[in-house]
Amino acid sequence: RGDLKSVVRQILLDEEARSETRAPHFGKLREPVMRLSHLWRAFKITPGKHSDHGEYNTYSPSLDNLDAITGQAVLRSPSVFNFYQPSHSPLGPVQSAGLVAPVFQIFTETNMLSTATRINSQIHRHYANTPYEIELNPSYLEFSVETKLAEDVDALLDHLDIILLSGSMSKALRSVLTTHLNKLPNDAAGLDERARDAISLIMASPDYLVQK
């Protein structure tokens, strides 16, 4: 008690932090804000101009309407207990097993679809050298590294497995992605599409949504 060194040691040496073995019920649903910040950091978002509210314009999703789209926004928790109750247990296998999964309280059908749609829109419309004409000058993502790797689907997936999934991509997901990506053209436009499709599909997958 009161020994910060001991606290840090316990955190860093905890079995869950160091062991590759996971219990069947181990894991948590990624929060919407964490999904967006991961996307922006992983692909080096370049800020656009400031909005009327003084925020960087991300357009999709708009930061001033983020909670309406995802059920969550920075510094907008409706109470001191966060955006969801820590005791929330969704109906189905989780509740039957006597477990809790708090973030699922804001993972409603509406929020699930709108969040996935907005993330997909950002990936496919708001990136460097996008062909879309957008007057609002939004922030944009950089996919040049991924596009260069896209000629070799295995190399692309190895790269994305590390930066998006921490090396935990399942064989099932990799098989689906490989089949889809190899069907796309091998020209410049096709390689660009391969990179963006791979990112959007991974970020919508159970492998990504449930962080282990």
Side-chain angles (χ1 to χ4, degrees):
R1 180 173 297 180
D3 185 347
L4 184 58
K5 183 178 180 180
S6 178
V7 172
V8 173
R9 181 187 298 113
Q10 289 295 323
I11 292 173
L12 296 180
L13 298 181
D14 187 274
E15 183 180 354
E16 288 188 356
R18 300 180 65 83
S19 175
E20 294 184 6
T21 302
R22 298 287 185 260
H25 59 268
F26 183 87
K28 64 176 182 178
L29 184 68
R30 290 182 193 261
E31 298 178 51
V33 167
M34 294 296 100
R35 291 165 64 187
L36 286 165
S37 62
H38 189 187
L39 173 69
W40 295 340
R41 293 181 68 181
F43 303 106
K44 300 177 176 62
I45 193 166
T46 297
K49 69 179 182 181
H50 283 89
S51 70
D52 293 339
H53 302 278
E55 302 167 330
Y56 283 117
N57 176 25
T58 55
Y59 188 66
S60 180
S62 170
L63 293 180
D64 59 0
N65 192 36
L66 190 58
D67 48 348
I69 296 166
T70 68
Q72 187 180 53
V74 177
L75 302 178
R76 292 188 183 177
S77 172
S79 79
V80 295
F81 299 107
N82 209 332
F83 295 88
Y84 39 76
Q85 294 296 317
S87 59
H88 179 72
S89 181
L91 292 173
V94 174
Q95 192 173 97
S96 298
L99 301 173
V100 296
V103 183
F104 275 92
Q105 190 169 5
I106 60 173
F107 199 61
T108 63
E109 289 86 348
T110 299
N111 289 347
M112 176 177 64
L113 291 173
S114 60
T115 301
T117 297
R118 291 307 181 101
I119 288 176
N120 190 65
S121 177
Q122 175 112 53
I123 293 169
H124 285 280
R125 293 180 64 92
H126 306 295
Y127 57 93
N129 302 318
T130 178
Y132 296 100
E133 294 293 335
I134 302 172
E135 296 179 358
L136 294 177
N137 184 26
S139 303
Y140 61 86
L141 302 170
E142 175 59 65
F143 300 132
S144 58
V145 172
E146 290 69 34
T147 301
K148 290 178 181 177
L149 290 171
E151 192 169 353
D152 183 340
V153 170
D154 283 332
L156 173 63
L157 293 181
D158 286 344
H159 168 73
L160 294 177
D161 185 17
I162 295 299
I163 66 173
L164 293 179
L165 296 169
S166 300
S168 65
M169 184 183 295
S170 66
K171 292 181 179 179
L173 176 59
R174 191 178 186 104
S175 177
V176 170
L177 292 171
T178 299
T179 299
H180 170 70
L181 298 176
N182 277 323
K183 290 181 180 179
L184 297 175
N186 207 34
D187 56 16
L191 295 179
D192 188 46
E193 187 176 1
R194 275 186 193 178
R196 288 182 283 108
D197 269 17
I199 294 164
S200 62
L201 290 172
I202 288 173
M203 296 193 73
S205 72
D207 282 23
Y208 179 80
L209 293 175
V210 179
Q211 186 177 13
K212 297 184 178 180

